[in-house]
Structures are given as C-alpha cells and as structure tokens.
Amino acid sequence: MDQKIYIYDKERANFYSKNTTKTLFSQRDLNTRLENETTDYKSLEEDLKINFEDDFNKNLLVLESYIKCLNIDEEVNNAIYFFAKYSVIGKLRTPSYKKNTHNLFKDAILEHFNQSTEEFKKLVNEKFSYKQISEYNNLVDYSKRSELIIELMGNLVFRIFIPKNENDYFILPDCTSITERERINNYNNPDIKEIASIGIPITSKIYLMIFSEKLYKENMEEAAITLITSDVVNEINEISYNMCFTKIVCINNDYLINFINHQKSKN
C-alpha cells in the first residue's frame, strides 16, 4: 500500500489525495490570536504540539500493546485519558467549527448593533479587533478546555473495535471524533447535557469508544476488544461520514470509493 491518504469532499463531491494530513483540516492563521494588541502566532500552536501532537504516537503504542496483552495498567488508563482529551478538541480546532461558532456570535451581536449606544458599539468593535489578524478570536486554550470536558465526564470506560475483515478500514472525519451528549451531571436546568461518549478512529484498524461511567447504573464489565463485521464497520463509517463537516479520509482509495458509491446509492 502506498503512503498517500485519500480524501472525499462531500460538498464538492470529489476525490483527491495528499501525502499527509498535516494541512488537510487546517488553514493559515487558524490558531493565531490577538493578545494585548500583539499578534500571537505561537501559544495555541505550542499548546497543541505539547499537549496533543507530541504524545500521539507514544499513546498509540500503549494502546497497541494493550490489544496484544490485554493488561490494563496506569499507562493504559493514561493513554485512554489522552485520547479522550485529543478527541474532544478535534472539532474545536477545525476551521468549519470555528467559522460556525464565530458566525453565531457575530449574528447575535450585530442583530442589535444598529440600535445600540455608541459605548456598546465601541465595545463590540474592540471585541472584533482580532479580525485584523485572524478570522477567529481563539481565546480558549485547547488543553484547558479538554481537561474541563473530561473532568465533567468523570471516570472513563472504553471499548476497542477492530475489523474482522482485513479489507475493511475506518475512515477519519474532519471533526476527528464523534461525540454524544447526555445529562450526566445534575443541574437546576434539566436541558444541560455534556459529552458523555466519544468515538474516534485511532488508526484505520482501531476504533476507540470512550464512555462516561455515569451513563450506567452499574459499572460496565472490564474494558474489552471486539472484532466487528463489515456491516458494523460500515455503520461506524456512516456515522463519521454524516457527522463530518465536509471531508473524510481513508488510507485505501478503493475502499473509500466503494463506500461513497454505496452512500450515493442509498439516496
């Protein structure tokens, strides 16, 4: 198999390939922010590198070792914690998510802008001053946000899915992972829901599911590895396809083409 990755853009309905994912889900100045009227190119990039990118392969090796020996220890639990944090910031760091969030905030503010006082208008203009250097304000550190989200999940339970058929592959969505929200903590507002489960393709052959233990009245059985059929792999990939912003990635071009053709035939 070659070293390329294969991409499908569902907005443009086209296939193409790249040699790396490094620039695939990114854009210029995506993590640049304005700090005390100074352009800050580094802090968010360093936050990503130090807390997520540098340790990915190390934790992948831990997970692969667990799959072989089935021995859960502190190192495995730390790896699960790492992948949980990595998963929940996947969507936050994408251009599409940042753009949608920015537009919601902008629309809410501008709806009342013309009827506002000059003082309020000045405040709004100051809030949007970051537009001088980036499309996004980028005020939140990824590591701090991910730690807060995982802390609210509480104890974590995990499952690993591996394709039974060697010709099956997990696809990677541009949102990195699939998260679902449930009411796992008690608040006065019953509508507040938090991330309670996470699904992420760690590799094309390893799909990791992470759950909040609060979802269950009784503790789940010991973490397990499950070999899954082609139909189940396809169901997981369909969720990734439906939840992605615009793009999905696969390491096998033929599999990706057949998968997309199957999706089109259903419509």
Side-chain angles (χ1 to χ4, degrees):
M1 186 177 295
D2 58 39
Q3 298 301 309
K4 290 184 177 180
I5 56 169
Y6 298 92
I7 305 107
Y8 178 73
D9 187 323
K10 66 181 184 181
E11 281 191 348
R12 298 179 179 178
N14 72 315
F15 296 89
Y16 61 102
S17 65
K18 278 181 171 286
N19 293 321
T20 176
T21 59
K22 189 172 180 63
T23 60
L24 182 60
F25 303 145
S26 187
Q27 70 180 51
R28 184 179 177 84
D29 289 326
L30 180 65
N31 293 310
T32 300
R33 58 186 176 189
L34 197 63
E35 190 77 24
N36 297 324
E37 300 185 354
T38 301
T39 303
D40 177 2
Y41 298 103
K42 293 184 177 181
S43 60
L44 271 185
E45 290 291 342
E46 290 177 349
D47 184 39
L48 280 172
K49 183 177 186 302
I50 294 170
N51 293 289
F52 300 99
E53 295 168 355
D54 286 354
D55 290 335
F56 186 94
N57 288 334
K58 180 187 75 174
N59 285 287
L60 174 58
L61 289 175
V62 171
L63 207 61
E64 289 175 335
S65 176
Y66 164 74
I67 291 171
K68 292 178 182 178
C69 66
L70 300 180
N71 179 38
I72 298 180
D73 55 20
E74 183 177 0
E75 195 174 31
V76 173
N77 287 326
N78 288 340
I80 297 303
Y81 181 71
F82 168 83
F83 284 119
K85 292 195 300 179
Y86 182 91
S87 300
V88 297
I89 64 108
K91 181 184 291 185
L92 303 180
R93 62 186 289 189
T94 60
S96 296
Y97 179 85
K98 289 190 176 189
K99 183 178 180 180
N100 292 342
T101 303
H102 166 78
N103 287 341
L104 287 172
F105 174 72
K106 181 183 70 174
D107 292 345
I109 292 294
L110 295 184
E111 182 179 352
H112 306 286
F113 186 83
N114 292 331
Q115 291 78 37
S116 301
T117 64
E118 290 303 316
E119 183 180 3
F120 179 78
K121 291 179 180 180
K122 180 181 178 181
L123 178 62
V124 170
N125 288 329
E126 290 175 354
K127 291 295 184 183
F128 282 96
S129 61
Y130 64 85
K131 297 288 287 182
Q132 303 168 36
I133 51 93
S134 175
E135 290 186 46
Y136 322 106
N137 58 30
N138 291 323
L139 294 179
V140 178
D141 289 340
Y142 297 121
S143 56
K144 292 179 181 177
R145 174 65 68 85
S146 65
E147 287 171 1
L148 175 60
I149 293 172
I150 302 306
E151 181 182 348
L152 291 171
M153 287 182 72
N155 293 333
L156 303 177
V157 181
F158 71 94
R159 294 289 184 271
I160 293 173
F161 300 112
I162 298 174
K164 186 180 296 185
N165 187 332
E166 65 177 12
N167 296 316
D168 286 335
Y169 303 87
F170 294 118
I171 60 174
L172 172 68
D174 54 12
C175 54
T176 301
S177 65
I178 306 303
T179 58
E180 293 189 10
R181 292 178 175 269
E182 297 288 346
R183 189 167 183 262
I184 56 175
N185 293 303
N186 294 321
Y187 300 102
N188 291 331
N189 184 349
D191 295 325
I192 295 178
K193 294 183 178 181
E194 290 153 338
I195 291 177
S197 65
I198 302 164
I200 178 173
I202 303 298
T203 72
S204 63
K205 297 294 186 178
I206 301 174
Y207 194 90
L208 176 63
M209 287 292 303
I210 304 173
F211 307 90
S212 167
E213 202 174 60
K214 300 175 187 179
L215 285 173
Y216 306 94
K217 294 181 179 179
E218 298 179 359
N219 291 347
M220 295 176 68
E221 61 189 45
E222 287 296 315
I225 298 170
T226 304
L227 295 177
I228 56 176
T229 64
S230 296
D231 286 343
V232 177
V233 173
N234 188 67
E235 288 177 12
I236 291 174
N237 286 338
E238 283 187 346
I239 295 172
S240 293
Y241 175 73
N242 291 329
M243 295 300 293
C244 77
F245 291 111
T246 60
K247 299 177 183 68
I248 56 171
V249 175
C250 186
I251 67 166
N252 187 286
N253 194 38
D254 290 337
Y255 184 88
L256 181 61
I257 291 172
N258 290 333
F259 173 78
I260 294 301
N261 287 339
H262 177 67
Q263 300 307 305
K264 291 179 178 179
S265 70
K266 294 166 60 176
N267 297 330

